[in-house]
Amino acid sequence: MDELWPPPSREVADAIRSLCQRLLTETDALVGAFARPSLIAQNDPALLADASLVEEDRALNRSDLVQWLTANVQQPGRRVEPYVSPRTTAYINDLVSRGIAPDFAVAWRVALGIGWRRWLEECVADCADPVLLVGVLDVTAQSLVQYALDSVAALRQAGLAAAMGNTDAEGIALIQLIASGAPMAEDLAEGHLRYRMARWHMGLVLWVDDPQDADVLDEAIAAVRSSVGGRSAALVARASATSRWIWLSGEAVPDPRHVEKDLAAVDEVRAAVGRPGRGLDGFRSSHQDALAAQALVIRLGSDRRFTAYADVELIDALTKDRPGARRFVINTLGPLAEADTALRQTLLTYVQCGFSTTRAAANLYAHRNTVERRVSRANELSAVKVEDNPTHVAAALLVLDIAPDIVTVAPS
């Protein structure tokens, strides 16, 4: 790449190198500062609604940051060439195939503003000599701005290449339109997708956390097809490199328990399932439920393998604000929040069983006396007593069941 400004002095280069070496150890915190604001700035609801794409966008942010810092350790203050990795290319292909067109220029402007403020703070703290400080800021400002311009151009070029080479884009884009709520006639959707809409539908999202495990998604899809056998038809769409969307349909309501059982044998794959719905509206609403369940699991850092939205809808509403959810759990449960898991699970089961120790004991495969002792001890520890407000106690226990570290890990 052509160099557009003179190289820095040795003193300035050494200062830049030292700063970048230190910041390379803090990349997660740096990305955490600008990833969400830059994502929102891209102004695309379909991107924001898909937790797998959100994770890919965060990975792209991290890759961009590491590329600039590493390049400035090797050649401080010089023009940095964008790194378009295979993972980046796959992400752009997925966006194009689904008709998602984020505003990368605006996203970069937001990220650059936040990043530059942090860089200023580091430079001022590290450079006591005003002349050296001016030299560092002068050359790195040029390098960062040019890196942003070059990166946006590289992403646009990757998008054009993806659009020219994607032969499945029409079908996936149609699914994206239906799923996002665009008006659509049932017969038109059925004709293009070769999938009947006038039946019951259950939407699933399958995903892996590590892109290197993406191959097992095919195994998981085969397991889902096997679990429903001839009882349901299946529509499968590639949502991203790490996730697949699936709809199961039939004259009867599909049973998620069969799917959960067969997916349990497929390592690394996680699943979220929406509530069944009928017709085109059911196709859409069940899918939106599944996306919400996936986003909940990822947002809370949960390790759950299978999540039905019907089971976590209340928790989804409670945990949109993670610090607020943490306060709710602590204020409701008090010492019980960090007590033995068996105590919390017993109290939750007791409430869910209508305050019946006999039913709770059967569900927990425990003796009735054991359940009574645990319930009594859990209620002693809880700040809010179960007889005073069972709804709040049960909700707080459910939050902890999904995100057991929400109390021990302080909000950033």
Side-chain angles (χ1 to χ4, degrees):
M1 300 181 75
D2 293 336
E3 294 292 350
L4 304 178
W5 58 88
S9 68
R10 196 173 89 177
E11 292 79 5
V12 168
D14 287 344
I16 294 172
R17 180 181 291 110
S18 175
L19 283 164
C20 290
Q21 285 173 331
R22 187 169 74 251
L23 290 176
L24 274 170
T25 66
E26 303 174 22
T27 52
D28 288 341
L30 291 170
V31 172
F34 63 76
R36 186 67 183 175
S38 66
L39 176 70
I40 294 172
Q42 293 177 57
N43 193 33
D44 197 301
L47 175 57
L48 286 168
D50 191 321
S52 290
L53 291 182
V54 169
E55 288 297 294
E56 290 303 299
D57 184 79
R58 186 182 182 88
L60 176 60
N61 282 323
R62 190 179 192 284
S63 175
D64 286 336
L65 174 64
V66 170
Q67 172 72 355
W68 190 82
L69 291 173
T70 302
N72 274 276
V73 170
Q74 297 168 347
Q75 292 183 301
R78 310 310 290 140
R79 187 177 181 182
V80 177
E81 184 170 0
Y83 173 55
V84 181
S85 68
R87 185 173 182 178
T88 301
T89 302
Y91 174 57
I92 298 299
N93 286 341
D94 292 331
L95 294 179
V96 169
S97 70
R98 289 171 54 180
I100 299 175
D103 194 331
F104 288 122
V106 173
W108 257 101
R109 188 158 61 243
V110 169
L112 195 60
I114 296 171
W116 177 248
R117 174 59 185 265
R118 176 61 187 277
W119 180 252
L120 276 176
E121 292 171 350
E122 293 292 330
C123 290
V124 170
D126 203 62
C127 302
D129 181 355
V131 176
L132 178 61
L133 176 63
V134 170
V136 169
L137 294 178
D138 179 36
V139 73
T140 53
Q142 296 180 81
S143 178
L144 273 170
V145 170
Q146 190 60 47
Y147 183 54
L149 294 172
D150 291 339
S151 295
V152 171
L155 290 171
R156 285 176 175 164
Q157 187 62 39
L160 288 172
M164 294 177 65
N166 198 322
T167 57
D168 299 323
E170 183 178 351
I172 300 172
L174 180 65
I175 290 174
Q176 176 70 54
L177 281 173
I178 298 171
S180 63
M184 182 76 59
E186 277 196 1
D187 57 349
L188 176 63
E190 288 182 346
H192 280 284
L193 299 177
R194 298 180 182 179
Y195 174 84
R196 286 185 59 191
M197 289 292 170
R199 347 171 69 186
W200 284 98
H201 306 278
M202 185 174 70
L204 293 98
V205 176
L206 305 184
W207 80 97
V208 293
D209 296 319
D210 188 340
Q212 294 184 353
D213 296 327
D215 289 346
V216 299
L217 285 169
D218 291 334
E219 183 182 345
I221 292 167
V224 170
R225 291 185 187 274
S226 173
S227 71
V228 297
R231 300 186 301 274
S232 298
L235 175 66
V236 179
R238 175 193 165 103
S240 73
T242 57
S243 67
R244 302 292 183 268
W245 293 348
I246 302 177
W247 287 264
L248 303 178
S249 68
E251 294 301 330
V253 178
D255 189 344
R257 290 175 298 179
H258 298 303
V259 177
E260 180 179 9
K261 180 180 178 181
D262 286 333
L263 281 177
V266 184
D267 293 334
E268 286 87 34
V269 173
R270 303 214 271 168
V273 58
R275 293 166 297 194
R278 190 168 179 84
L280 192 64
D281 286 340
F283 177 93
R284 178 183 297 124
S285 65
S286 188
H287 173 67
Q288 290 171 340
D289 280 356
L291 285 178
Q294 181 200 21
L296 166 73
V297 168
I298 292 177
R299 182 174 73 242
L300 296 181
S302 172
D303 59 0
R304 284 168 68 115
R305 292 278 308 280
F306 189 91
T307 305
Y309 189 66
D311 295 337
V312 298
E313 185 174 12
L314 173 62
I315 307 309
D316 186 32
L318 283 172
T319 57
K320 296 289 187 186
D321 170 23
R322 186 183 175 95
R326 182 174 185 269
R327 288 193 300 273
F328 170 74
V329 169
I330 292 172
N331 292 338
T332 302
L333 300 182
L336 180 59
E338 298 186 74
D340 182 42
T341 304
L343 290 179
R344 298 199 302 267
Q345 187 59 52
T346 301
L347 183 59
L348 177 59
T349 305
Y350 171 70
V351 176
Q352 291 173 329
C353 289
F355 306 99
S356 167
T357 51
T358 302
R359 288 174 56 198
N363 283 0
L364 293 167
Y365 301 101
H367 194 279
R368 189 169 180 270
N369 291 343
T370 302
V371 170
E372 288 179 348
R373 284 198 306 272
R374 289 177 181 173
V375 167
S376 178
R377 178 57 180 156
N379 207 30
E380 288 175 7
L381 292 172
S382 183
V384 175
K385 305 309 174 188
V386 69
E387 62 270 16
D388 294 335
N389 199 330
T391 303
H392 277 207
V393 171
L397 289 169
L398 281 169
V399 172
L400 270 181
D401 186 52
I402 295 171
D405 68 342
I406 197 168
V407 172
T408 55
V409 178
S412 58

